[in-house]
C-alpha cells in the first residue's frame, strides 16, 4: 500500500476539460496572463476563483508545491498531525533562539495546493471584534472593521452537521441561530466525536464561571466566533463529511475542469519579480530546480503574492523591494526602499507533534493582572493566553506506560518580534531565508506565560479533574513540569525556556498601514497594494499587523483513565 508521501510524488501533468494543471512551465499555453497569483494557499485560491469568474480575464496560479489531491494525511482529519515535516512541508527551521537557550525550532509551511492550511488542525477561528477593529484603525479603512467583514465570513463558509457526533444539534442550533456561518464553499462543522476530556473542560469552565473565579475569564461560550474570543467552548473545524475542507477543495479544484481562462502550474518556484519600468513589477521568473532554466511569465494587470508570511516577503526581498542597506549588503540591487519588509513580525497559531487533539476549542483568557500600557492584545475581547488540551503525552522522555493528558499554555498576543532576512542573493527561493522568531525577547511574554501556568493550575483544580469517582481523573503531574510547578519562579522560567515551542503561522512581514509617513514600516495599504510599487499586491497573513496565539509550554498530567491516544492504539 502506498504511503501518502508516495502519493504526493505522483502528482501528474493533468489536463481536464478546458483548464489545466501543469507540472512544467514549458507546457503552459501562454507566458502572458491578465493576473498571476503566486501561491495556491488559503487566499491565493480564493482570489484565483474570483478573478477567473470573468471569462474575459486570464489567470495563472503558480504553486511551488505538490498537488494535494489524494494525499490521505491532508484529506483525513484524524491524520492532520502527520503532515508537518513531510513532502508537503517546506521544512524550514529558525536560527538559534537565545530566549530558548539557543534551541532551533521547526517552521512548518505548506508545500502543496491549499498551502499551510494543509498543516493546521482545521480550527476555524475568525478572531475577535477587537482584532478587526484594530485593522480598520491602523489602515484608516472602515472596511476592515468587525461589522464590515461579517458578510464575507458568511460568503466563505457553511456550517454543516457533525459527521459522527449526534450529541450536538445540527446547524444552526435551535437555541443559537447565529452559529450558522452562511452559504460559502468552505465546510465547517462542530466536533465530529466527543471525548471525556471535552466535557470535563466544559464542566470545569462552568463551575469556575459560577464561582466567579478569575474575574470571568474561565467563562463558557457556545460560539467561539461571535466576536468575543474569551472563554471555553466547542471549536469549529474546517471539515465536512469526514474530510478536510480547504481553499483547494473549495475554491480551486472544483473549477479546474470548467474554466478555460484558468491555468495552474505546480512544482514550480517563483524566483523573483522583475521591474518592467518605473517601479512597476509585472513579470516573474520561475524555475523548477536551482540550476534553472528560468522562465519569465508576465501579468498585464497584476501580480498577486500569496506565498505566505515567509514566501511573500522573501520574494519581495529577492526582487529588491525592502530595506535598501540590508539588500545592498548581500548584493541584491535595491529597487524600492521599504524598510518594513520582513523587518519585524509576530507569530500566529499552529501546533507540532504527533498526538490526538481534543474537540474543545482552545480556550482563551484575557488576564486582568496583565492589563495596562504594556498589554499587546487588541482589547477586552481579545485573549492574552490560551489552553490547548491534548490526549496523550506531548514532550520528551515519553513514559513507557500510563495514560496522559497534556495541557499546553499558549501566549496569544506576544510583544516579542522576529525578523526574516536573506542568507544570500543566490539561488532565489531555493535558499532558505534566515528566520528569527525572537522568542521571549520581550520580558512581558515571559510574565504572561507565567500567569498562564498559574491559570492552568487553577483550572485543573476544578471538580471534574479532582473529584474521586472512584479516584481523581488526574493522578499527578509528570515530566519536567512535576518539578517546576512546586519550585521557584526561576524553576518555572527555566521550564518555559527549555520546553516552549511555537504554534507557528508568522504574520506581519509585509504589514498593512494607512501609508502615513509616521508609519515608515508599513509595506501594504488598506487594499493590500505594495507601497511605492505598481502592479503588485500581497494577500496573505504577511499583511496582518496584530497577531493571535503564538507560544506553547507543555504540562503533561498522569491520568487514572485511558486517554484517546491509548484507546486508538
Amino acid at each position: 500500500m502506498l504511503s501518502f508521501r508516495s502519493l504526493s510524488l505522483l502528482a501528474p501533468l493533468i489536463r481536464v476539460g478546458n483548464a489545466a494543471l501543469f507540472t512544467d512551465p514549458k507546457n503552459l499555453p501562454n507566458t502572458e496572463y491578465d493576473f498571476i497569483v503566486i501561491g495556491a494557499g488559503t487566499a491565493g485560491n480564493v482570489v484565483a476563483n474570483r478573478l477567473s469568474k470573468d471569462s474575459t480575464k486570464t489567470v495563472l496560479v503558480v504553486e511551488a508545491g505538490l498537488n494535494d489531491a489524494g494525499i490521505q494525511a491532508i484529506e483525513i482529519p484524524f491524520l492532520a498531525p502527520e503532515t508537518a515535516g513531510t513532502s508537503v512541508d517546506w521544512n524550514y527551521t529558525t536560527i538559534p533562539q537565545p530566549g530558548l537557550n539557543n534551541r532551533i525550532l521547526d517552521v512548518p509551511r505548506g508545500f502543496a495546493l491549499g498551502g499551510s492550511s494543509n498543516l493546521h488542525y482545521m480550527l476555524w477561528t475568525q478572531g475577535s471584534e477587537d482584532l478587526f477593529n484594530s485593522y480598520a484603525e491602523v489602515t484608516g479603512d472602515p472596511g476592515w472593521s468587525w461589522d464590515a467583514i461579517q458578510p464575507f465570513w458568511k460568503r466563505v463558509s457553511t456550517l454543516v452537521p457533525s459527521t459522527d457526533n449526534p450529541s450536538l444539534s445540527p446547524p444552526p442550533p435551535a437555541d443559537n441561530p447565529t452559529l450558522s456561518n452562511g452559504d460559502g464553499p468552505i465546510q465547517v462543522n462542530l466536533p465530529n466525536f466527543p471525548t471525556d476530556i471535552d466535557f470535563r473542560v466544559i464542566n470545569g469552565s462552568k463551575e469556575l464561571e459560577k464561582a466567579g473565579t478569575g474575574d470571568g475569564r474561565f467563562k463558557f461560550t457556545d460560539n467561539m466566533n461571535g466576536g468575543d474570543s474569551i472563554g471555553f467552548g466547542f471549536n469549529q473545524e474546517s471539515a465536512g463529511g469526514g474530510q478536510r475542507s480547504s481553499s483547494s477543495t473549495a475554491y480551486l479544484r472544483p473549477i479546474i475542469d470548467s474554466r478555460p481562462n484558468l491555468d495552474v502550474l505546480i512544482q514550480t518556484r517563483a524566483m523573483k519579480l522583475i521591474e518592467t519600468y518605473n517601479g512597476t513589477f509585472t513579470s516573474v521568473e520561475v524555475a523548477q530546480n536551482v540550476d534553472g532554466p528560468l522562465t519569465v511569465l508576465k501579468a498585464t494587470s497584476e501580480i498577486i503574492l500569496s506565498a505566505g508570511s515567509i514566501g511573500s516577503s522573501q520574494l519581495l526581498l529577492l526582487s529588491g523591494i525592502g530595506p535598501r542597506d540590508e539588500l545592498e549588503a548581500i548584493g541584491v540591487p535595491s529597487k524600492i526602499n521599504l524598510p518594513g519588509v520582513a523587518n519585524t513580525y509576530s507569530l500566529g497559531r499552529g501546533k507540532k507533534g504527533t498526538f490526538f487533539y481534543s474537540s474543545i476549542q482552545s480556550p482563551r483568557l484575557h488576564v486582568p493582572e496583565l492589563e495596562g500600557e504594556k498589554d499587546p492584545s487588541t482589547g477586552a475581547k481579545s485573549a492574552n493566553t490560551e489552553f490547548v488540551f491534548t490526549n496523550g503525552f506531548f514532550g520528551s522522555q515519553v513514559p513507557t506506560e500510563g495514560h496522559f493528558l497534556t495541557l499546553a499554555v499558549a501566549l496569544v498576543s506576544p510583544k516579542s518580534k522576529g525578523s526574516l532576512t536573506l542568507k544570500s542573493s543566490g539561488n532565489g527561493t531555493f535558499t532558505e531565508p534566515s528566520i528569527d522568531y525572537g522568542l521571549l525577547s520581550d520580558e512581558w511574554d515571559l510574565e504572561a506565560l507565567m500567569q498562564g501556568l498559574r491559570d492552568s493550575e487553577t483550572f485543573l483544580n476544578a471538580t471534574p479533574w479532582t473529584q474521586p469517582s472512584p479516584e481523581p481523573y488526574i493522578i499527578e503531574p509528570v515530566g519536567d513540569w512535576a518539578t517546576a510547578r512546586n519550585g521557584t519562579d526561576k524553576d518555572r522560567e527555566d521550564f518555559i525556556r527549555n520546553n516552549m515551542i511555537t504554534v507557528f503561522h508568522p504574520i506581519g512581514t509585509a504589514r498593512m498601514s494607512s501609508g502615513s509617513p509616521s508609519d515608515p514600516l508599513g509595506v501594504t495599504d488598506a487594499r493590500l497594494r505594495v507601497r511605492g510599487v505598481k502592479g503588485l499586491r500581497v494577500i496573505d497573513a504577511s499583511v496582518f499587523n496584530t497577531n493571535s496565539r503564538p507560544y506553547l509550554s507543555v504540562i503533561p498530567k498522569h491520568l487514572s483513565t485511558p486517554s484517546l491516544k491509548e484507546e486508538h492504539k
Side-chain angles (χ1 to χ4, degrees):
M1 178 177 179
L2 287 176
S3 68
F4 82 89
R5 295 189 191 186
S6 300
L7 288 171
S8 69
L9 298 176
L10 299 179
L13 166 60
I14 304 171
R15 179 172 285 279
V16 275
N18 295 316
L21 178 63
F22 294 94
T23 59
D24 193 326
K26 70 174 181 288
N27 293 326
L28 287 172
N30 304 293
T31 58
E32 184 173 298
Y33 294 80
D34 290 301
F35 298 94
I36 296 177
V37 180
I38 298 176
T42 301
N45 292 332
V46 178
V47 168
N49 183 298
R50 301 284 193 232
L51 290 173
S52 62
K53 281 186 175 180
D54 183 348
S55 61
T56 68
K57 303 297 183 183
T58 56
V59 180
L60 172 67
V61 178
V62 179
E63 166 58 42
L66 307 172
N67 183 5
D68 64 325
I71 300 178
Q72 292 184 357
I74 289 177
E75 293 181 345
I76 300 173
F78 196 72
L79 298 179
E82 302 300 323
T83 53
T86 69
S87 60
V88 296
D89 183 356
W90 283 84
N91 289 299
Y92 288 152
T93 58
T94 67
I95 65 172
Q97 297 294 289
L100 305 187
N101 299 325
N102 288 320
R103 287 188 292 127
I104 294 174
L105 305 183
D106 292 335
V107 184
R109 306 298 297 162
F111 193 72
L113 296 178
S116 293
S117 65
N118 291 324
L119 300 184
H120 71 50
Y121 289 72
M122 297 162 291
L123 296 186
W124 185 252
T125 304
Q126 294 181 12
S128 71
E129 181 178 345
D130 297 332
L131 180 69
F132 281 95
N133 289 341
S134 76
Y135 295 157
E137 182 178 358
V138 76
T139 60
D141 185 347
W144 280 101
S145 69
W146 172 262
D147 289 339
I149 213 76
Q150 289 311 295
F152 296 97
W153 281 115
K154 294 185 180 295
R155 188 178 176 185
V156 164
S157 61
T158 299
L159 193 63
V160 299
S162 297
T163 308
D164 300 307
N165 196 351
S167 64
L168 295 182
S169 302
D175 59 344
N176 192 346
T178 64
L179 287 183
S180 176
N181 278 340
D183 58 358
I186 295 287
Q187 293 189 325
V188 176
N189 59 213
L190 292 172
N192 272 321
F193 55 91
T195 71
D196 186 39
I197 291 175
D198 297 344
F199 296 103
R200 291 180 187 273
V201 171
I202 294 296
N203 292 335
S205 168
K206 291 180 177 180
E207 175 185 308
L208 294 176
E209 180 181 21
K210 184 177 180 179
T213 303
D215 296 319
R217 65 180 180 268
F218 294 104
K219 68 181 181 181
F220 170 75
T221 178
D222 60 0
N223 184 7
M224 298 300 293
N225 287 329
D228 185 348
S229 65
I230 307 302
F232 290 60
F234 286 103
N235 64 29
Q236 295 177 28
E237 300 169 350
S238 54
Q243 184 171 345
R244 181 193 296 268
S245 186
S246 70
S247 68
S248 177
T249 64
Y251 283 96
L252 187 66
R253 280 160 46 187
I255 62 173
I256 284 182
D257 61 350
S258 60
R259 295 186 184 173
N261 59 327
L262 171 69
D263 289 324
V264 180
L265 174 64
I266 61 174
Q267 297 171 216
T268 304
R269 302 192 188 197
M271 298 290 279
K272 72 175 182 177
L273 309 171
I274 301 173
E275 184 182 27
T276 48
Y277 59 91
N278 297 331
T280 300
F281 288 74
T282 54
S283 295
V284 57
E285 286 182 350
V286 301
Q288 293 194 297
N289 58 68
V290 69
D291 298 320
L294 295 172
T295 300
V296 176
L297 303 171
K298 183 178 181 181
T300 57
S301 292
E302 280 191 350
I303 290 177
I304 301 167
L305 287 184
S306 182
S309 298
I310 303 297
S312 288
S313 54
Q314 183 185 20
L315 274 172
L316 290 175
L317 294 173
L318 288 167
S319 308
I321 304 173
R324 177 181 289 124
D325 292 344
E326 291 182 18
L327 293 177
E328 292 181 346
I330 61 170
V332 176
S334 175
K335 304 291 186 180
I336 305 292
N337 183 29
L338 274 182
V341 175
N343 184 51
T344 60
Y345 63 93
S346 305
L347 303 178
R349 159 164 209 95
K351 294 197 266 301
K352 171 185 179 292
T354 302
F355 53 83
F356 301 99
Y357 51 93
S358 169
S359 54
I360 284 292
Q361 169 68 35
S362 304
R364 302 177 204 135
L365 296 82
H366 191 86
V367 185
E369 290 92 331
L370 301 175
E371 286 181 350
E373 206 172 283
K374 297 189 298 180
D375 184 359
S377 73
T378 53
K381 295 180 179 179
S382 296
N384 295 119
T385 55
E386 180 180 56
F387 293 167
V388 181
F389 294 88
T390 302
N391 291 280
F393 188 97
F394 183 54
S396 59
Q397 299 177 338
V398 180
T400 57
E401 58 182 38
H403 312 300
F404 301 94
L405 160 73
T406 299
L407 169 61
V409 177
L411 177 59
V412 178
S413 48
K415 294 195 72 173
S416 297
K417 306 294 183 182
S419 64
L420 182 145
T421 55
L422 299 179
K423 292 180 178 177
S424 73
S425 60
N427 300 331
T429 50
F430 285 93
T431 297
E432 179 180 338
S434 179
I435 302 169
D436 181 7
Y437 278 165
L439 299 177
L440 295 185
S441 56
D442 192 293
E443 190 69 20
W444 189 94
D445 293 350
L446 182 62
E447 182 182 348
L449 281 170
M450 296 283 274
Q451 179 62 46
L453 293 176
R454 290 190 289 269
D455 285 340
S456 71
E457 288 294 292
T458 298
F459 188 77
L460 293 179
N461 278 323
T463 302
W465 311 103
T466 61
Q467 185 176 30
S469 56
E471 57 183 339
Y473 186 79
I474 296 176
I475 300 173
E476 61 185 354
V478 292
D480 293 343
W481 176 242
T483 301
R485 71 185 290 266
N486 293 319
T488 64
D489 282 350
K490 179 61 166 58
D491 293 328
R492 292 188 173 213
E493 177 182 336
D494 290 344
F495 169 78
I496 291 172
R497 295 188 187 279
N498 290 329
N499 290 278
M500 195 177 78
I501 62 173
T502 74
V503 281
F504 313 128
H505 293 304
I507 66 166
T509 50
R511 66 181 183 84
M512 55 187 174
S513 73
S514 64
S516 168
S518 63
D519 185 7
L521 296 182
V523 176
T524 50
D525 64 16
R527 303 299 300 274
L528 309 186
R529 296 169 294 200
V530 178
R531 294 172 60 180
V533 176
K534 297 178 182 178
L536 183 62
R537 292 180 201 254
V538 180
I539 63 168
D540 53 43
S542 304
V543 306
F544 295 140
N545 59 347
T546 305
N547 70 335
S548 56
R549 304 182 306 269
Y551 314 141
L552 196 66
S553 298
V554 294
I555 307 171
K557 300 283 186 176
H558 189 192
L559 306 181
S560 60
T561 58
S563 65
L564 181 65
K565 184 174 181 179
E566 296 290 336
E567 292 170 355
H568 284 267
K569 276 188 175 180

